[in-house]
Amino acid sequence: MKWLRCLCLVSAMVVLNATAQAQEWPTKPIRLIIATAAGGLMDVAARVAAESLDKSLGQRLVIENRSGSGGNIGAEAVAKAEPDGYTLGLVQLGNVAINPHVYTDMTFDPLVDLVPVAPITTSAILVVANAKVPANDLRELIALAKREPGKLSYGSGGAGTAPHLAGEMFKAAAGVDILHVPYRGVGPAVNDMAGGHIQLTFAGFGAVRAPVESGLARILAVAQPQRLKAAPQYATAAEAGLPGYEFATWFGIVAPKGTPAPIIAKLVKNIHAFQDDPEVQRKLADGGLEALKETPEQFGARMRRDNARFRDVVKAAKLKPE
């Protein structure tokens, strides 16, 4: 009985200590690791989250882009960081649902070593072409690709990323042969597409808006059932002649395994607060994003569900690291 009382006392002290730690946290800047290169759609979600959490938490979120290996380098840095609440990560669908089925040398398990905090946004993937590509819509692009198999190329944020899989799913749905060119992030891929070094990319509206508005690129389709709220002039894939082609990704905050639950709860409360802010929703919509509000439990279930869902898709696409 004495042993049991001691155990209960120790457990109570641990809980009280964690609660006190969360009440004091944060007392210094927080590092937010983005698992991609700068310039991509994740930057939109990162900026909105950082600006909002800076104010509500009273400490600066320092954004650190770590690209490479399809986002594994950045995600691994989060997984292996000290679980004290001062290192967080912004990851996407590909980090937890695609990469584990593509890379055989991962040194961490994203479903075990990354604690789900809360998703920030969801985003539809767009089919985007350089302005000099002789295709004004999706039907013309598919016809061009069929006339010249293997000639067109598309860039992604790296092997196993959501844009990579979106491209492979497009190839299968349209029955075309286009070359995949991996980059260290969506931003560099979009830049090369706008510059004409590659012809296509599959990315979110926020990542391609600048080259589209400057006339360097054109959006051929939106890979979701409904048109974008921020840009309703662009047809869905179904409207453009490719029914069934749908692909949306998400971006969410994770923490290293072992991060105290009270700190996670405090983060979730602040994230949900800024997601309800109409001004934040407007900023997200301008980038082609929509807030995705879930609890850690719901987010974790999403991560596991997507991991299982894309296992067969990756296998069918025969994706391998490049």
Side-chain angles (χ1 to χ4, degrees):
M1 291 298 293
K2 288 183 178 180
W3 175 85
L4 183 60
R5 285 196 296 270
C6 288
L7 180 61
C8 291
L9 180 60
V10 170
S11 298
M13 290 177 64
V14 169
V15 171
L16 289 172
N17 183 60
T19 302
Q21 183 181 3
Q23 290 173 344
E24 295 175 0
W25 178 90
T27 59
K28 62 181 180 180
I30 302 165
R31 182 172 57 151
L32 180 62
I33 296 177
I34 315 300
T36 187
L41 189 58
M42 286 180 77
D43 277 2
V44 178
R47 285 196 303 271
V48 170
E51 290 172 1
S52 300
L53 291 177
D54 279 358
K55 297 175 183 177
S56 62
L57 294 176
Q59 289 289 344
R60 184 183 173 210
L61 262 72
V62 181
I63 295 177
E64 180 181 324
N65 290 88
R66 287 206 188 183
S67 61
S69 190
N72 285 339
I73 292 176
E76 180 182 39
V78 179
K80 296 186 176 181
E82 186 71 23
D84 56 6
Y86 291 100
T87 297
L88 304 173
L90 182 66
V91 298
Q92 59 180 325
L93 178 147
N95 296 120
V96 300
I98 300 174
N99 287 6
H101 308 307
V102 175
Y103 293 86
T104 60
D105 59 349
M106 290 179 62
T107 61
F108 69 102
D109 184 341
L111 295 180
V112 174
D113 300 315
L114 297 177
V115 176
V117 177
I120 302 297
T121 63
T122 183
S123 170
I125 291 291
L126 314 180
V127 183
V128 189
N130 176 273
K132 293 183 179 180
V133 172
N136 293 309
D137 56 39
L138 199 59
R139 291 182 179 87
E140 292 183 0
L141 174 67
I142 294 172
L144 174 64
K146 288 184 175 180
R147 286 197 307 270
E148 302 177 345
K151 184 176 180 179
L152 298 178
S153 59
Y154 78 94
S156 78
T161 60
H164 180 195
L165 195 58
E168 295 303 306
M169 290 175 68
F170 172 78
K171 289 166 59 176
V176 298
D177 178 20
I178 56 178
L179 177 67
H180 173 231
V181 181
Y183 288 81
R184 291 175 66 89
V186 175
V190 170
N191 290 339
D192 264 15
M193 180 276 302
H197 302 291
I198 54 175
Q199 291 75 48
L200 306 166
T201 194
F202 298 82
F205 184 58
V208 301
R209 184 170 188 169
V212 167
E213 292 182 345
S214 65
L216 295 175
R218 65 171 66 96
I219 295 171
L220 302 183
V222 180
Q224 67 178 11
Q226 65 279 356
R227 295 192 176 197
L228 292 176
K229 293 181 179 179
Q233 67 269 34
Y234 300 116
T236 66
E239 293 171 333
L242 194 60
Y245 178 61
E246 298 178 8
F247 198 107
T249 188
W250 48 257
F251 307 116
I253 300 290
V254 294
K257 181 177 67 175
T259 301
I263 290 179
I264 300 294
K266 191 171 184 177
L267 273 168
V268 173
K269 180 180 178 180
N270 283 273
I271 290 170
H272 286 177
F274 77 69
Q275 286 177 317
D276 289 335
D277 186 336
E279 179 61 19
V280 168
Q281 293 175 358
R282 183 192 64 77
K283 289 180 180 179
L284 292 176
D286 285 345
L289 300 169
E290 295 183 11
L292 180 59
K293 191 175 179 181
E294 293 181 343
T295 65
E297 293 75 21
Q298 290 170 329
F299 187 26
R302 174 184 293 275
M303 291 165 65
R304 293 189 295 274
R305 185 171 62 249
D306 284 344
N307 180 280
R309 180 166 65 98
F310 279 98
R311 183 184 296 112
D312 292 339
V313 176
V314 169
K315 184 178 179 180
K318 298 180 181 179
L319 297 188
K320 295 181 180 179
E322 299 183 21

